[in-house]
Amino acid sequence: MPTPARLPATTRIAYGGDYNPEQWPRHVWEEDYAAFGLASVDTVTLGVFAWSYLQPDEDTYDFTRLDAIVERAVAGGRQIVLATATGALPPWLAHRHPEVNRTDFEGRRHVYGQRHNACPSSPVFRRLSAALADRIAERYAGTPGLVAWHVGNEYGGACYCENCAAGFRDWLRERYGTIERLNDAWNATFWSHLFSDWEQVVVPNALSEHWRGPDHTAFQGITLDYLRFMSEAMRQNFRDEKAAIRRHDAETPVTTNFMGAPFRGIDYHRWADDLDFASWDNYPPGPREHARMALVHDQMRGLKGGAPFWLMEQTPSITASRDVNPVKRPGVLRLWSWQAVAHGADAVLYFQMRQSKGACEKYHGAVLDHAGRTDTRAFREVAALGGELEALGDAVLGARTPARVALVFDWDSWWAAEITDGLNRHVKYPAVVLAYYRALWDAGAQVDVVPCTASFDAYDVVVAPLLHMVKGDTASRLHDVVARGGSVLGTFWSGRVDEDDNAFLTDVPGPLAGLFGLRVEETDSAAPGVTNPVTLKGDGGELVSDASLVFELVVPEGADVVGTYGADFYAGTPAVTRMRHGAGDVPGGRAEEAPGGRAGEAWYVATGLDDAGVRWVVRRVLDRHGLVGPYADAADVELAVRERDGERTSFVLHHGLEPVDVAAHASGVDLLTGRRVTQGETLHLEPTDVVVLRED
Ligand code: GLA
Ligand code: ZN
């Protein structure tokens, strides 16, 4: 279990966002605050990129500007999320101490520019960033309305400098203890890599183990450990700053804004204990990403054991960073914001409150445009949403999601699978996870996205796509799920390697072989576009799914065949299987705990089924447990539930492009309109419609 969440003390869904008034004259601030009033904005995030004006040189701090900004927020009665201002370096720092600049994968030491680019191992960066956080916390701890601390900004990237190399060696020494153990972990006899001294270890980059970029490495163990180390090095930066804050403020919750997608370089699960609450920035890559957004929301909620998270950033209209930057269509901002709340967000915040004057984000959308107008479509939508959130009050604050399904997400498996040779480079871990999540979302299941170390006790169904690496007691805990009558769903490429990324010296899928009741003898793969028709058969009918990319050749050892390949030399052999577990089959199985003495099931999908195929399998698994939701057959209608103190609020969100009629799943009152809804009545949903039903 992660350390318990500590959430900002707010009385309603916090609403507002990043506010950088240092970019415009004082009189504009008054317009800003007048507009905030119109939009029911109660929260501003201040100082994210303030380092260069807070510390004009190494020995001087100057809080004049930030004081004024904070004072204005306090005078306006706003809640403040205060940054430690370390999201971007000041020029003098990079100039005076070149070591703070990162060295890239090609081995080039960068010079001053951009942001989010400090070397995490630089002693100078570590000292000065913590010192800045310390000064800021010392000065502003206790500020009225200060609800949260915001450390850094969107941690990510990597550095390959000498300081990082030294840090890596220290981290390895700590992890492995002896050089023999290191050699064993990295299987260093392969290609004559036996190290005899820690000093011989260099960073894995284009100059050493890699060719064709960061995913092609001669030694996966080295590269995997470097990914782990980088994530930990940045976590240490976060911890340094948090410790500085805690010297002056023992209470106010501390977070950092993660990136969605999710982001490969940072193992959010390993960071989770250090966060008081999770937060993230939602910039979906396209307009039809509702399942992906839901996945990341559920993942953020999973970081702190199901506690609410904050939506720290989203754009009210356009982004600036893409080649093409379409506006959010009418109603979409509202829909996506309520989706965040539906999945557990206790804040809806924007980047940014007023549009930047210059530089690369000058066209990025904002609550207020350059002219400061409050009669634009974007502002009107922001203000209307602000009014709704204000009217909702504390109705769902702190409420949790009653999920019976867990989706396992594992950064180690992600890294290990994507840096490995010999399989299929076109398979991407997040895409596989998303395919399974989308099918769960589609079926209307409430899902917790959890690490493999999470307790599975609360779940009927555990879906663990592409669990390439099996660590610790994960296998036995998955066995426990089926032993008590639950279901486990896994896929190809699972159970391949141990925590060191070395192959299990057993049949594939290693420690999961008994669970799934099979062995994988060969792994065929094909280029994108090449398909093999897989016929799926079971209660509820038959479906032919075009499978692609990966085709494992499965030998059942107890499992029943659910789907078979239709082509190639393995036509007729199993592509999807289901292992039924009676208590006797399961190591440590406890039949008496299985509901109604029912056996559990472990489903294995040995190939890259298309979406329809994944949906077919997922529905069958959910069906067993009565977990297919009431709107499962209405495309793009989402149901998400939050509960608190026995009160249940359900959110019905229509992401589709056409109106739809559905039968209401429950009786209650729509908190947005006050309208009574009776179970079974026809709910007419226009595109982007939202119903927030306080159930009877
Ligand atoms: C990120 C950053 C912000 C801003 C936005 C623009 O989320 O945290 O500073 O650059 O992107 O989309
Ligand atoms: Zn470095």
Side-chain angles (χ1 to χ4, degrees), residues 262-509:
F263 179 71
R264 189 168 97 155
I266 304 285
D267 184 337
Y268 294 166
H269 291 138
R270 286 211 167 80
W271 281 53
D273 270 354
D274 292 307
L275 308 174
D276 291 323
F277 66 104
S279 66
W280 80 287
D281 301 344
N282 183 18
Y283 298 99
R288 310 281 308 147
E289 298 284 355
H290 24 278
R292 179 199 300 265
M293 294 188 289
L295 163 63
V296 188
H297 291 318
D298 288 352
Q299 180 164 43
M300 291 296 144
R301 206 182 60 239
L303 294 186
K304 297 303 286 182
F309 61 93
W310 274 33
L311 178 62
M312 192 61 93
E313 292 182 24
Q314 66 172 343
T315 175
S317 56
I318 66 171
T319 54
S321 56
R322 306 244 153 76
D323 288 354
V324 175
N325 297 283
V327 298
K328 284 182 175 165
R329 269 43 199 170
V332 168
L333 171 68
R334 174 174 182 264
L335 176 70
W336 291 3
S337 300
W338 280 114
Q339 184 192 34
V341 174
H343 283 266
D346 272 0
V348 173
L349 304 179
Y350 298 106
F351 183 89
Q352 51 198 333
M353 298 311 294
R354 182 183 278 259
Q355 211 162 20
S356 278
K357 190 172 100 176
C360 65
E361 289 178 355
K362 67 175 176 295
Y363 298 131
H364 193 289
V367 171
L368 291 164
D369 63 13
H370 291 136
R373 299 195 75 97
T374 54
D375 58 357
T376 59
R377 180 179 68 87
F379 187 87
R380 281 197 302 270
E381 291 198 25
V382 166
L385 176 61
E388 284 186 338
L389 289 168
E390 187 169 30
L392 186 77
D394 69 351
V396 296
L397 216 58
R400 299 197 168 221
T401 301
R404 312 286 311 158
V405 178
L407 179 90
V408 175
F409 194 101
D410 180 46
W411 262 263
D412 277 331
S413 285
W414 184 357
W415 291 333
E418 290 191 1
I419 61 175
T420 204
D421 275 322
L423 293 174
N424 186 333
R425 292 287 184 175
H426 297 280
V427 174
K428 299 295 175 203
Y429 179 84
V432 177
V433 172
L434 180 57
Y436 281 82
Y437 181 87
R438 184 178 286 125
L440 292 164
W441 182 92
D442 226 59
Q446 308 298 302
V447 181
D448 283 345
V449 179
V450 300
C452 58
T453 50
S455 165
F456 301 140
D457 292 351
Y459 304 107
D460 296 328
V461 174
V462 178
V463 182
L466 223 164
L467 196 61
H468 194 68
M469 178 177 290
V470 178
K471 298 172 283 191
D473 60 354
T474 306
S476 73
R477 286 182 304 103
L478 289 171
H479 275 286
D480 289 346
V481 174
V482 294
R484 59 176 165 78
S487 298
V488 171
L489 170 56
T491 74
F492 58 88
W493 291 10
S494 291
R496 297 297 185 112
V497 293
D498 64 16
E499 193 157 2
D500 295 334
D501 202 30
N502 287 316
F504 292 113
L505 299 179
T506 60
D507 290 333
V508 172

Side-chain angles (χ1 to χ4, degrees), residues 106-382:
E106 273 75 35
R108 302 172 304 181
R109 150 78 32 89
H110 283 213
V111 292
Y112 185 68
Q114 303 183 42
R115 63 167 178 178
H116 302 165
N117 51 8
C119 164
S121 313
S122 152
V124 172
F125 174 74
R126 291 189 58 189
R127 175 169 57 81
L128 291 178
S129 57
L132 181 62
D134 186 279
R135 293 290 188 115
I136 292 175
E138 178 182 40
R139 191 168 189 90
Y140 299 106
T143 297
L146 178 66
V147 288
W149 292 101
H150 177 298
V151 172
N153 196 64
E154 294 194 334
Y155 282 93
C159 179
Y160 300 86
C161 75
E162 274 311 315
N163 280 325
C164 285
F168 184 43
R169 289 187 283 267
D170 288 345
W171 183 87
L172 292 169
R173 227 180 265 130
E174 175 83 11
R175 181 178 178 86
Y176 295 112
T178 65
I179 202 83
E180 291 73 26
R181 174 71 190 98
L182 176 88
N183 282 323
D184 181 46
W186 289 354
N187 193 33
T189 49
F190 177 78
W191 287 5
S192 187
H193 270 47
L194 286 171
F195 294 89
S196 55
D197 191 291
W198 300 98
E199 289 307 312
Q200 296 157 7
V201 174
V202 297
V203 297
N205 66 3
L207 304 176
S208 57
E209 300 295 354
H210 283 252
W211 70 97
R212 280 177 61 198
D215 287 350
H216 290 74
T217 171
F219 276 80
Q220 277 87 34
I222 299 180
T223 298
L224 177 68
D225 276 345
Y226 202 68
L227 284 158
R228 288 166 167 162
F229 160 71
M230 240 328 116
S231 175
E232 288 300 292
M234 289 186 212
R235 177 157 81 111
Q236 190 55 49
N237 294 164
F238 175 89
R239 297 167 79 144
D240 291 348
E241 292 190 33
K242 184 176 179 186
I245 292 168
R246 286 283 172 256
R247 282 196 283 278
H248 305 285
D249 178 347
E251 290 298 325
T252 310
V254 180
T255 191
T256 184
N257 50 336
F258 284 144
M259 286 180 272
F263 179 71
R264 189 168 97 155
I266 304 285
D267 184 337
Y268 294 166
H269 291 138
R270 286 211 167 80
W271 281 53
D273 270 354
D274 292 307
L275 308 174
D276 291 323
F277 66 104
S279 66
W280 80 287
D281 301 344
N282 183 18
Y283 298 99
R288 310 281 308 147
E289 298 284 355
H290 24 278
R292 179 199 300 265
M293 294 188 289
L295 163 63
V296 188
H297 291 318
D298 288 352
Q299 180 164 43
M300 291 296 144
R301 206 182 60 239
L303 294 186
K304 297 303 286 182
F309 61 93
W310 274 33
L311 178 62
M312 192 61 93
E313 292 182 24
Q314 66 172 343
T315 175
S317 56
I318 66 171
T319 54
S321 56
R322 306 244 153 76
D323 288 354
V324 175
N325 297 283
V327 298
K328 284 182 175 165
R329 269 43 199 170
V332 168
L333 171 68
R334 174 174 182 264
L335 176 70
W336 291 3
S337 300
W338 280 114
Q339 184 192 34
V341 174
H343 283 266
D346 272 0
V348 173
L349 304 179
Y350 298 106
F351 183 89
Q352 51 198 333
M353 298 311 294
R354 182 183 278 259
Q355 211 162 20
S356 278
K357 190 172 100 176
C360 65
E361 289 178 355
K362 67 175 176 295
Y363 298 131
H364 193 289
V367 171
L368 291 164
D369 63 13
H370 291 136
R373 299 195 75 97
T374 54
D375 58 357
T376 59
R377 180 179 68 87
F379 187 87
R380 281 197 302 270
E381 291 198 25
V382 166

